[in-house]
Amino acid sequence: GESVGLHLPTLSVQEGDNSIINCAYSNSASDYFIWYKQESGKGPQFIIDIRSNMDKRQGQRVTVLLNKTVKHLSLQIAATQPGDSAVYFCAETRKWYGNKLVFGAGTILRVKS
Amino acid sequence: DTGVSQDPRHKITKRGQNVTFRCDPISEHNRLYWYRQTLGQGPEFLTYFQNEAQLEKSRLLSDRFSAERPKGSFSTLEIQRTEQGDSAMYLCASSLTRGGQGDGYTFGSGTRLTVV
């Protein structure tokens, strides 16, 4: 399939290293944030979410950090694997469940074996 | 498979023709969303339904676009008199309105529209 993110910033990491993907969000009223992974030809796949009353949330191999002061999100992936190669988007919304999402620009993650 | 299903996966149409896409959400989800994604961009919100009611439409949804969810289950998105600028991936998502699992906002694989 075709690549989704031809003009997006790219992060290249070695297999086994940790990855950090950053995102600046736009609306200070947003109170719920989600990271999605999108592989070529597929829809966005949920990775992890965080509510605005939290600064950090951990999942399996992934951690999301939220800095509301500077409206910044980051996604940390531990021990990056070739299967992690994809485009990563952050999304924000108001009302922490069931509302429309506003997506950031996306980052391409390439994992080198 | 109990995820969000979209049909067709790919559609090629001539400019000026009408096209219709279908989305089947996760059965217990009462909210259904349509997004559009162009190459190199994140998805952009088009419209959403709660049950059969269309609650919000983006200004991106011109008069040539119409969406329905007649029985509160599947939804259709129709584009009339297609233009080359309509070429994009059309994504459907569904969710619950009540609080619950964070991964309840689920996307389908999309319909790739190419207008020639």
Side-chain angles (χ1 to χ4, degrees):
Chain A
E2 60 187 306
S3 172
V4 172
L6 294 181
H7 304 290
L8 300 176
T10 300
L11 175 65
S12 293
V13 300
Q14 198 68 35
E15 181 180 359
D17 288 350
N18 297 334
S19 304
I20 299 176
I21 300 172
N22 297 303
C23 175
Y25 64 92
S26 58
N27 191 339
S28 57
S30 293
D31 55 14
Y32 180 51
F33 306 88
I34 311 174
W35 278 101
Y36 284 94
K37 171 187 180 183
Q38 188 171 27
E39 296 173 292
S40 182
K42 296 184 179 180
Q45 176 187 354
F46 172 91
I47 302 173
I48 191 167
D49 60 351
I50 190 168
R51 298 173 67 177
S52 59
N53 61 355
M54 303 172 70
D55 297 322
K56 178 180 180 178
R57 189 162 186 234
Q58 289 184 294
Q60 187 176 12
R61 281 202 309 121
V62 294
T63 300
V64 55
L65 299 178
L66 174 63
N67 185 330
K68 294 181 288 294
T69 302
V70 295
K71 294 190 288 186
H72 183 268
L73 273 171
S74 67
L75 176 69
Q76 300 177 1
I77 305 174
T80 314
Q81 302 169 358
D84 295 327
S85 294
V87 180
Y88 288 80
F89 292 99
C90 67
E92 60 183 296
T93 188
R94 279 181 286 177
K95 297 182 183 179
W96 77 277
Y97 212 82
N99 207 343
K100 64 183 181 184
L101 299 176
V102 176
F103 282 80
T107 297
I108 299 171
L109 176 65
R110 296 196 197 282
V111 182
K112 298 174 285 187
S113 299
Chain B
D1 189 322
T2 57
V4 177
S5 299
Q6 292 189 246
D7 183 71
R9 290 296 311 278
H10 303 275
K11 178 70 176 179
I12 300 174
T13 191
K14 291 184 179 180
R15 188 176 52 184
Q17 297 294 304
N18 299 343
V19 293
T20 300
F21 310 140
R22 176 178 169 127
C23 172
D24 287 90
I26 293 173
S27 57
E28 61 266 30
H29 285 182
N30 57 347
R31 285 201 174 183
L32 185 149
Y33 309 78
W34 286 99
Y35 287 79
R36 180 173 69 188
Q37 185 176 29
T38 53
L39 210 59
Q41 302 293 322
E44 295 176 295
F45 170 79
L46 292 178
T47 188
Y48 86 92
F49 295 83
Q50 181 160 317
N51 300 313
E52 65 274 11
Q54 189 172 17
L55 296 186
E56 188 172 349
K57 292 192 290 186
S58 163
R59 59 180 173 78
L60 295 175
L61 212 64
S62 77
D63 292 345
R64 296 184 297 105
F65 288 69
S66 62
E68 294 183 342
R69 194 183 183 196
K71 297 181 180 179
S73 56
F74 74 91
S75 175
T76 58
L77 177 67
E78 181 183 17
I79 308 174
Q80 296 182 326
R81 305 181 302 282
T82 51
E83 302 172 356
Q84 287 188 320
D86 297 331
S87 295
M89 173 80 86
Y90 289 85
L91 292 162
C92 178
S94 69
S95 78
L96 295 166
T97 51
R98 61 178 172 81
Q101 295 178 354
D103 59 350
Y105 202 118
T106 305
F107 280 86
S109 292
T111 294
R112 167 70 65 189
L113 173 66
T114 303
V115 182
V116 297

